[in-house]
Structure formats: C-alpha cells, structure tokens
Amino acid sequence: MARLVAFLVDSVVLVTFVLVLWVIAFLQLLIASDLGQEDPPDSSFNAILGIVMAVVPLWLVFNVVLYRWRGQTIGQYVADIKVVREDGRPLDLRTSLVRFLLLHPLLFHLVLVPNWFLTAAIVTSLTASAAVLVVTLGLTFLCVLATFLAAASVLLDSRRRALHDRVMGTTVVPASNPERPPQSAA
C-alpha cells in the first residue's frame, strides 16, 4: 500500500513537472508568433520539441539525485519508505541510475505518453523517418506497459519487489525503521 501511495504522489509531482515545461514550451511559441498575430518560425516548433523532450532527462536526473541523496523519491518520503540494497546499504549513483532506467514506472509513466506522441508527430513530420516513428511509438508503448509490469511484479513477488528491484538487488523498506522486514513496507 505504501508503494502505491508513493507512486501516486510521485505521479502528481511528475504531472506538475510536465505541465510547467509544456507551459514554457507553448509560451515561447506564443511569444515567437507575436501573441498569435504571425506564423511562428519553424525554430519555435523545434524549441517546443526540445523543451517537451527535456522532461524525460530532467525527471530522470531529479529522481536519481533523490535516490542517491535520500534513498527515496518525494512520494516515498510521504509514504515513509525508502530504497536500499538488499544488504541494507544505500544506493550508489550507478545503481540508482540503472534501476530507474529498467522500466521504472516513474520514468516510463503514462503521464509521458503525450510527450512521446508529440515527439513522434513533430520529428516524423520534420524527417519523414519511419524509424523515428517506430522508436517514439515504442517508447509510448513502454510507458503503458511499465506501470502494469511493475504492479504485477510487486504483486507476484513474495518480498514485494518490482522487476527493477530484483534486477538491481534493491528492496523497499520503511524509512523510519529500516530494520523492519521489507515485506511490511509494500
């Protein structure tokens, strides 16, 4: 239950993060078009693409830094849980980064689907590349799949570890009493 609460709180943080960057992206388009009085230059659409796609690496860096620094995301802080290695040691930078890249539902999140669709539309229209379309639509599919895969793996594992926890040798424990068994944190 604590993991679900953490995921929902982190999802709200991610939505806020995405919305702020989308507002910045479209404000620059509005300014470039002289508040809608002129056609904006093509460079404005490239800027939108850059700003919208900056969500993913910025969100990744933000959470990896939090994992490295505190062993928890904002949602995990609210839910009073944290991530540690199976031997109880805190996560190092490499473990934090790779764990997050392994279909972590906060990086491959349903909230990011519009970003991938916008990227697919803009880049495909600029390059007419089927490969770009396949890659961006593949990432869109991973955003849908990752959340369900993580939930299923937590429910099916006796220690309540998600796939990224199993691969990286990490576990979720209560933050206020990390000596308690990991099963009670799920």
Side-chain angles (χ1 to χ4, degrees):
M1 187 59 151
R3 286 182 85 139
L4 178 61
V5 169
F7 177 75
L8 293 174
V9 170
D10 284 328
S11 296
V12 170
V13 174
L14 175 58
V15 166
T16 304
F17 201 81
V18 168
L19 288 176
V20 165
L21 287 173
W22 275 68
V23 166
I24 291 169
F26 286 100
L27 275 176
Q28 76 76 32
L29 181 66
L30 190 61
I31 291 167
S33 69
D34 197 23
L35 302 178
Q37 299 299 316
E38 301 174 6
D39 285 339
D42 288 344
S43 61
S44 294
F45 294 101
N46 294 338
I48 286 177
L49 181 62
I51 294 168
V52 166
M53 287 317 304
V55 167
V56 175
L58 289 174
W59 182 246
L60 173 67
V61 168
F62 176 73
N63 281 288
V64 167
V65 167
L66 285 175
Y67 273 134
R68 179 63 188 109
W69 176 44
R70 300 187 51 93
Q72 57 192 173
T73 62
I74 292 172
Q76 290 169 333
Y77 175 79
V78 170
D80 195 36
I81 57 177
K82 70 180 189 174
V83 179
V84 295
R85 292 175 184 225
E86 288 181 336
D87 62 7
R89 292 183 299 144
L91 304 183
D92 60 15
L93 183 61
R94 181 191 156 283
T95 303
S96 300
L97 178 63
V98 175
R99 182 181 182 273
F100 218 79
L101 290 172
L102 289 173
L103 287 182
H104 195 293
L106 287 180
L107 183 61
F108 296 93
H109 198 290
L110 290 170
V111 168
L112 296 175
V113 168
N115 285 44
W116 293 117
F117 273 131
L118 181 64
T119 301
I122 292 176
V123 174
T124 304
S125 71
L126 293 173
T127 64
S129 170
V132 170
L133 181 62
V134 168
V135 168
T136 52
L137 292 179
L139 289 167
T140 302
F141 176 72
L142 287 176
C143 287
V144 173
L145 179 69
T147 303
F148 299 110
L149 183 63
S153 64
V154 166
L155 292 174
L156 295 174
D157 186 66
S158 63
R159 294 179 52 207
R160 299 287 185 238
R161 293 175 304 156
L163 182 61
H164 49 269
D165 290 318
R166 287 189 226 164
V167 171
M168 293 310 297
T170 59
T171 190
V172 176
V173 297
S176 56
N177 185 6
E179 281 73 41
R180 272 196 347 215
Q183 294 89 327
S184 63

